[in-house]
Amino acid sequence: MPRWLVVVLVTVGALTVLAPVGVFVGYVYVSGTIHEDMRFPEDDVALATCVTDPVSGRPTARVELEEGVPAGAYTVGVDFLDTSEAGRGAVVDAGSVVLSTGPEGPRRAVLVGAKRFGGGELGCGVSGLVPVGAGAAGSPEGGGPDADGGP
């Protein structure tokens, strides 16, 4: 077999093996750099307390915007969960509150659920953080379904 043919076969074989490895390494690198600065609602919102109100029996959560959140007003969604074994983390109530990083509104608030919590273990979770005016699911005008303060 001629020497040039051996060189060609070895080169083609090496490229056949190394090309998919190179593509995979490139994909991992690019996906890491793309998601590097990604922010999640859980990073920007703190749930300081999550308890059942002893008088009304409704779930309450103290919601705060963390430091470093970009300036503006935000609608924060909170889910009240039954974390007991029987409840299996089911959402039993939900609510939202508008908070702000500037002087035009509060940076923290207490959110009270609409329904009486029927027992089990209460848990809270952030369901969303949407800039006011950016639009929200269920609201074509933006700002969420309660943007005008009404029911």
Side-chain angles (χ1 to χ4, degrees):
M1 189 178 312
R3 178 175 234 142
W4 66 268
L5 186 57
V6 172
V7 171
V8 169
L9 290 175
V10 168
T11 304
V12 169
L15 288 176
T16 302
V17 172
L18 292 178
V21 172
V23 169
F24 178 73
V25 169
Y27 170 77
V28 169
Y29 173 76
V30 168
S31 66
T33 57
I34 288 174
H35 298 101
E36 203 169 74
D37 298 326
M38 197 171 200
R39 297 182 72 95
F40 296 95
E42 297 82 18
D43 299 334
D44 294 332
V45 178
L47 296 173
T49 60
C50 181
V51 296
T52 303
D53 181 64
V55 177
S56 68
R58 299 187 313 182
T60 62
R62 183 168 173 236
V63 185
E64 299 179 13
L65 287 178
E66 295 283 0
E67 295 297 325
V69 176
Y74 297 88
T75 301
V76 180
V78 176
D79 286 337
F80 296 104
L81 313 165
D82 182 355
T83 60
S84 67
E85 194 169 317
R88 297 184 178 165
V91 176
V92 294
D93 203 354
S96 63
V97 63
V98 176
L99 299 177
S100 173
T101 57
E104 65 275 356
R107 188 174 194 90
R108 63 185 57 85
V110 174
L111 179 64
V112 180
K115 300 182 231 172
R116 184 176 180 84
F117 185 62
E121 296 174 31
L122 179 65
C124 296
V126 178
S127 61
L129 178 69
V130 179
V132 172
S139 176
E141 309 81 60
D146 298 331
D148 61 348

Short mmCIF file of all heavy atoms in Angstrom, two decimals, residues 23-36:
data_model
loop_
_atom_site.label_atom_id
_atom_site.label_comp_id
_atom_site.label_asym_id
_atom_site.label_seq_id
_atom_site.Cartn_x
_atom_site.Cartn_y
_atom_site.Cartn_z
N VAL A 23 -17.07 18.68 18.65
CA VAL A 23 -18.41 19.29 18.65
C VAL A 23 -19.00 19.23 20.06
O VAL A 23 -19.58 20.21 20.55
CB VAL A 23 -19.32 18.58 17.63
CG1 VAL A 23 -20.77 19.01 17.80
CG2 VAL A 23 -18.84 18.87 16.22
N PHE A 24 -18.86 18.10 20.73
CA PHE A 24 -19.40 17.97 22.10
C PHE A 24 -18.72 18.94 23.06
O PHE A 24 -19.37 19.61 23.86
CB PHE A 24 -19.24 16.53 22.59
CG PHE A 24 -19.71 16.33 23.99
CD1 PHE A 24 -21.07 16.33 24.29
CD2 PHE A 24 -18.81 16.17 25.03
CE1 PHE A 24 -21.52 16.17 25.59
CE2 PHE A 24 -19.24 16.00 26.33
CZ PHE A 24 -20.59 16.00 26.62
N VAL A 25 -17.41 19.04 23.00
CA VAL A 25 -16.67 19.96 23.87
C VAL A 25 -17.09 21.40 23.58
O VAL A 25 -17.29 22.20 24.50
CB VAL A 25 -15.14 19.77 23.70
CG1 VAL A 25 -14.37 20.88 24.36
CG2 VAL A 25 -14.72 18.42 24.25
N GLY A 26 -17.26 21.75 22.33
CA GLY A 26 -17.72 23.09 21.97
C GLY A 26 -19.11 23.38 22.50
O GLY A 26 -19.38 24.47 23.00
N TYR A 27 -20.00 22.40 22.41
CA TYR A 27 -21.36 22.56 22.92
C TYR A 27 -21.36 22.80 24.43
O TYR A 27 -22.04 23.69 24.93
CB TYR A 27 -22.19 21.31 22.60
CG TYR A 27 -23.52 21.28 23.29
CD1 TYR A 27 -24.58 22.06 22.85
CD2 TYR A 27 -23.72 20.48 24.42
CE1 TYR A 27 -25.80 22.04 23.49
CE2 TYR A 27 -24.93 20.46 25.07
CZ TYR A 27 -25.96 21.24 24.61
OH TYR A 27 -27.17 21.23 25.26
N VAL A 28 -20.58 22.03 25.16
CA VAL A 28 -20.50 22.19 26.61
C VAL A 28 -19.95 23.57 26.96
O VAL A 28 -20.47 24.26 27.85
CB VAL A 28 -19.64 21.06 27.24
CG1 VAL A 28 -19.34 21.36 28.70
CG2 VAL A 28 -20.34 19.73 27.10
N TYR A 29 -18.94 24.02 26.27
CA TYR A 29 -18.36 25.33 26.54
C TYR A 29 -19.36 26.44 26.27
O TYR A 29 -19.55 27.34 27.08
CB TYR A 29 -17.10 25.53 25.69
CG TYR A 29 -16.54 26.93 25.80
CD1 TYR A 29 -15.83 27.32 26.93
CD2 TYR A 29 -16.76 27.87 24.79
CE1 TYR A 29 -15.34 28.60 27.04
CE2 TYR A 29 -16.27 29.15 24.90
CZ TYR A 29 -15.56 29.52 26.03
OH TYR A 29 -15.09 30.80 26.15
N VAL A 30 -20.02 26.40 25.13
CA VAL A 30 -20.97 27.45 24.75
C VAL A 30 -22.17 27.46 25.69
O VAL A 30 -22.61 28.51 26.14
CB VAL A 30 -21.42 27.28 23.28
CG1 VAL A 30 -22.60 28.17 22.96
CG2 VAL A 30 -20.26 27.59 22.36
N SER A 31 -22.72 26.30 26.04
CA SER A 31 -23.88 26.28 26.93
C SER A 31 -23.51 26.80 28.31
O SER A 31 -24.33 27.41 28.99
CB SER A 31 -24.47 24.88 27.03
OG SER A 31 -23.57 24.00 27.66
N GLY A 32 -22.29 26.61 28.74
CA GLY A 32 -21.86 27.14 30.03
C GLY A 32 -21.74 28.64 30.01
O GLY A 32 -22.13 29.33 30.96
N THR A 33 -21.23 29.22 28.94
CA THR A 33 -21.07 30.67 28.89
C THR A 33 -22.40 31.38 28.63
O THR A 33 -22.58 32.51 29.08
CB THR A 33 -20.04 31.08 27.80
OG1 THR A 33 -20.47 30.56 26.55
CG2 THR A 33 -18.67 30.56 28.14
N ILE A 34 -23.30 30.74 27.93
CA ILE A 34 -24.60 31.37 27.66
C ILE A 34 -25.40 31.52 28.96
O ILE A 34 -26.05 32.53 29.19
CB ILE A 34 -25.40 30.55 26.63
CG1 ILE A 34 -24.78 30.72 25.26
CG2 ILE A 34 -26.87 30.97 26.60
CD1 ILE A 34 -25.40 29.86 24.19
N HIS A 35 -25.39 30.51 29.82
CA HIS A 35 -26.20 30.51 31.04
C HIS A 35 -25.47 31.09 32.24
O HIS A 35 -25.99 31.07 33.35
CB HIS A 35 -26.66 29.09 31.35
CG HIS A 35 -27.53 28.52 30.28
ND1 HIS A 35 -27.05 27.63 29.35
CD2 HIS A 35 -28.82 28.74 29.96
CE1 HIS A 35 -28.02 27.33 28.51
NE2 HIS A 35 -29.10 27.98 28.86
N GLU A 36 -24.29 31.64 32.03
CA GLU A 36 -23.47 32.15 33.12
C GLU A 36 -24.16 33.26 33.92
O GLU A 36 -24.13 33.27 35.14
CB GLU A 36 -22.18 32.69 32.50
CG GLU A 36 -21.02 32.75 33.42
CD GLU A 36 -19.75 33.03 32.61
OE1 GLU A 36 -19.59 34.17 32.15
OE2 GLU A 36 -18.97 32.08 32.43
#
